[in-house]
Amino acid sequence: MADVRGVVADVGCGNGKFVARVRDDRPDLNVLPMDVSHGILGAIPGAVVADVQQLPIADGVLGAVLALHMLYHVQDQAKAVRELGRVLAPGGIAIVSTNSQTDKRELEHLWRRAAGDVLGIQEGPARVQLSARFTLEDAPAILGTVFGEIRTIPLPGVIEVTDAEPVVAHLASYEAWADKMGVPFGDTIERARERVNETIQAEGSFRITCLGGMLVCRKNGDRAPQSRPPGLVRDQD
């Protein structure tokens, strides 16, 4: 965002982690935190409750808008992307992030094989992945309906553990849906723990390959505004 000026909205800001970073790194910017969840915003100064599908922001007033790891939660993604484009000034940028279809694939294989062991089949059902609704591979086509210039920045990485507990703790987050898929949750978790420990013992560690990415989307037109425009927040019906 080196050339961004004026107002930046973090839409779906969650606990405000990136709001705080932008405010620290770029005190010249006016950062507007926004999230659909009222409860999570309590400790974030200046936060506004808002849905990305109907942003309470006037047309064309933002220098940049952040939508970080949140569009896969949105029901109508096409409408959300149109809103991101609408609130940007000509030349403004939307910075979007999400995960690849291949992100942390080892965890998927671990879960399915552990569930398969428990169920007595080769592989159990796949885990529910919200991010599959908006992946790094699909995102350019979805964003391209509004933005003419899209630059993808891949962010690969590796998580390497020598203790099964962090992996088991992650798998524990599947409990909300596992029973609905016919997977005995507790038994599958314990079998996964055994599998991870077997890998650590044989190979020295359990490795998980990660792939996320940023998509920098520029709105056609001149450069973004140099100062805060009037009438930032628009009236809502």
Side-chain angles (χ1 to χ4, degrees), residues 93-178:
I93 58 173
I95 302 176
V96 179
S97 66
T98 189
N99 293 326
S100 166
Q101 296 169 359
T102 65
D103 181 59
K104 302 179 184 69
R105 182 161 285 178
E106 292 86 353
L107 293 177
E108 173 70 13
H109 293 162
L110 172 65
W111 174 263
R112 297 194 68 174
R113 289 168 184 167
D117 291 347
V118 171
L119 295 169
I121 57 179
Q122 184 172 358
E123 284 191 340
R127 61 193 172 118
V128 174
Q129 292 178 281
L130 279 175
S131 60
R133 298 186 63 245
F134 184 80
T135 67
L136 200 60
E137 291 78 13
D138 301 329
I142 298 170
L143 296 165
T145 60
V146 171
F147 297 98
E149 179 187 334
I150 301 172
R151 179 167 57 98
T152 301
I153 306 172
L155 299 172
V158 176
I159 299 170
E160 189 168 1
V161 299
T162 56
D163 183 340
E165 293 313 307
V167 178
V168 171
H170 173 80
L171 298 182
S173 67
Y174 303 172
E175 185 171 11
W177 61 264

Side-chain angles (χ1 to χ4, degrees), residues 22-216:
V22 175
R23 284 174 170 169
D24 287 345
D25 291 353
R26 293 291 305 278
D28 58 304
L29 297 176
N30 186 341
V31 184
L32 177 63
M34 314 185 86
D35 201 285
V36 73
S37 175
H38 180 273
I40 203 169
L41 294 174
I44 307 173
V48 175
V49 177
D51 185 338
V52 67
Q53 297 168 107
Q54 188 178 10
L55 292 171
I57 300 176
D59 295 354
V61 297
L62 300 184
V65 60
L66 310 181
L68 305 177
H69 284 281
M70 55 78 68
L71 282 173
Y72 43 73
H73 292 289
V74 177
Q75 182 176 1
D76 190 336
Q77 293 174 354
K79 186 175 183 181
V81 171
R82 288 195 298 271
E83 281 289 274
L84 295 179
R86 179 186 65 77
V87 299
L88 284 172
I93 58 173
I95 302 176
V96 179
S97 66
T98 189
N99 293 326
S100 166
Q101 296 169 359
T102 65
D103 181 59
K104 302 179 184 69
R105 182 161 285 178
E106 292 86 353
L107 293 177
E108 173 70 13
H109 293 162
L110 172 65
W111 174 263
R112 297 194 68 174
R113 289 168 184 167
D117 291 347
V118 171
L119 295 169
I121 57 179
Q122 184 172 358
E123 284 191 340
R127 61 193 172 118
V128 174
Q129 292 178 281
L130 279 175
S131 60
R133 298 186 63 245
F134 184 80
T135 67
L136 200 60
E137 291 78 13
D138 301 329
I142 298 170
L143 296 165
T145 60
V146 171
F147 297 98
E149 179 187 334
I150 301 172
R151 179 167 57 98
T152 301
I153 306 172
L155 299 172
V158 176
I159 299 170
E160 189 168 1
V161 299
T162 56
D163 183 340
E165 293 313 307
V167 178
V168 171
H170 173 80
L171 298 182
S173 67
Y174 303 172
E175 185 171 11
W177 61 264
D179 289 343
K180 298 177 183 178
M181 301 289 291
V183 177
F185 180 74
D187 291 342
T188 301
I189 287 288
E190 288 309 310
R191 180 58 187 136
R193 188 197 308 273
E194 292 171 358
R195 277 185 165 271
V196 173
N197 281 327
E198 289 166 3
T199 299
I200 292 172
Q201 187 170 18
E203 302 176 12
S205 66
F206 184 82
R207 291 170 56 88
I208 303 160
T209 53
C210 307
L211 180 57
M214 311 288 291
L215 298 108
V216 182

Side-chain angles (χ1 to χ4, degrees), residues 10-29:
D10 186 351
V11 180
C13 67
N15 63 9
K17 174 181 179 181
F18 295 109
V19 171
R21 177 165 179 179
V22 175
R23 284 174 170 169
D24 287 345
D25 291 353
R26 293 291 305 278
D28 58 304
L29 297 176

